[in-house]
Amino acid sequence: MCVAYLDESEPSLIGPVYVVAAAVLDEDDRESVSASLRNLSRPGRSKLHWYEERYVRERQRIVEAIARYPVRYHAVVRTCAETETAERRRRKSLMALLADLDELDVRHVVLEARESKQNKRERMWLNSLRSQGVGGSAAWFDHVAGAKEPLLWLPDVIAGVVGAGLRGETRYGERLRDVLTVRSVAAGCTDR
């Protein structure tokens, strides 16, 4: 069974852009990849976070390591008008990514936890989607704090790599080209 870990980013670009990324791996690989990730994090930090790694050589070290993991990475980049809320961008991006994950037979999706009210609303929305057969059919969804689950660090890095690529910093994405799929979704604000 495949499991996907999801995180998102709103990279600072011109106009609203929302990136949601997934790291997809077999259940059997979770423990070994998680242990390796703990070794990538610098001492004293609660988690590995792309934007805290300011130096190119550190980012390259991280990308080089995660490129060797038995993990496939997927990302959706969504743009829309200035008036669209971040929550709407998140939902529309998640719908697109969940549809992609459904094709990969992902049956467990772990999202980085936000505020408890947001998590509760999102679980209701995800369960509604699942019951309608829209946007994927993962068997279950969980929200977990990023500091508690190292596998959530992977989609954080991927969202950072994709954001860097959108700004013209392509060196990171080039190293991941064999394991990373990025899909752009440009949408008007009239869609639901």
Side-chain angles (χ1 to χ4, degrees), residues 17-90:
V17 174
Y18 201 91
V19 177
V20 63
V24 179
L25 65 158
D26 292 330
E27 286 276 346
D28 295 342
D29 294 322
R30 289 168 71 173
E31 198 170 307
S32 63
V33 173
S34 182
S36 181
L37 279 164
R38 288 184 209 287
N39 293 330
L40 274 181
S41 181
R42 289 197 271 160
R45 292 213 176 148
S46 63
K47 67 179 194 173
L48 179 69
H49 194 269
W50 179 259
Y51 288 105
E52 290 176 7
E53 302 299 336
R54 303 272 184 221
Y55 299 106
V56 170
R57 74 178 184 285
E58 282 301 309
R59 287 181 171 185
Q60 287 176 320
R61 177 182 70 88
I62 292 165
V63 167
E64 187 63 37
I66 72 167
R68 292 189 299 262
Y69 294 161
V71 179
R72 293 166 288 172
Y73 304 103
H74 297 265
V76 167
V77 177
R78 187 169 191 283
T79 58
C80 196
E82 295 279 341
T83 56
E84 187 175 60
T85 66
E87 198 63 26
R88 181 179 172 86
R89 283 193 295 276
R90 177 181 172 88

Side-chain angles (χ1 to χ4, degrees), residues 95 124-137 192:
M95 280 180 64
M124 289 172 44
W125 173 73
L126 289 166
N127 288 330
S128 172
L129 280 182
R130 183 177 51 209
S131 69
Q132 297 170 37
V134 176
S137 60
R192 292 185 181 190

Side-chain angles (χ1 to χ4, degrees), residues 93-192:
S93 300
L94 279 173
M95 280 180 64
L97 186 58
L98 289 172
D100 293 349
L101 297 178
D102 196 40
E103 290 181 21
L104 299 172
D105 202 31
V106 170
R107 293 294 168 241
H108 184 191
V109 175
V110 180
L111 300 104
E112 184 161 10
R114 302 184 298 161
E115 293 178 16
S116 59
K117 274 186 174 181
Q118 290 173 313
N119 293 341
K120 183 178 179 180
R121 275 195 304 264
E122 191 162 79
R123 273 192 302 277
M124 289 172 44
W125 173 73
L126 289 166
N127 288 330
S128 172
L129 280 182
R130 183 177 51 209
S131 69
Q132 297 170 37
V134 176
S137 60
W140 68 90
F141 300 96
D142 289 314
H143 287 89
V144 178
K148 292 185 178 185
E149 178 52 79
L151 293 169
L152 284 167
W153 305 349
L154 290 171
D156 174 84
V157 169
I158 296 304
V161 165
V162 170
L166 292 171
R167 288 188 298 276
E169 298 175 59
T170 58
R171 66 179 146 244
Y172 309 114
E174 288 171 4
R175 177 59 182 99
L176 296 169
R177 71 179 169 270
D178 294 335
V179 293
L180 172 61
T181 302
V182 179
R183 183 160 67 102
S184 294
V185 180
C189 290
T190 57
D191 60 345
R192 292 185 181 190

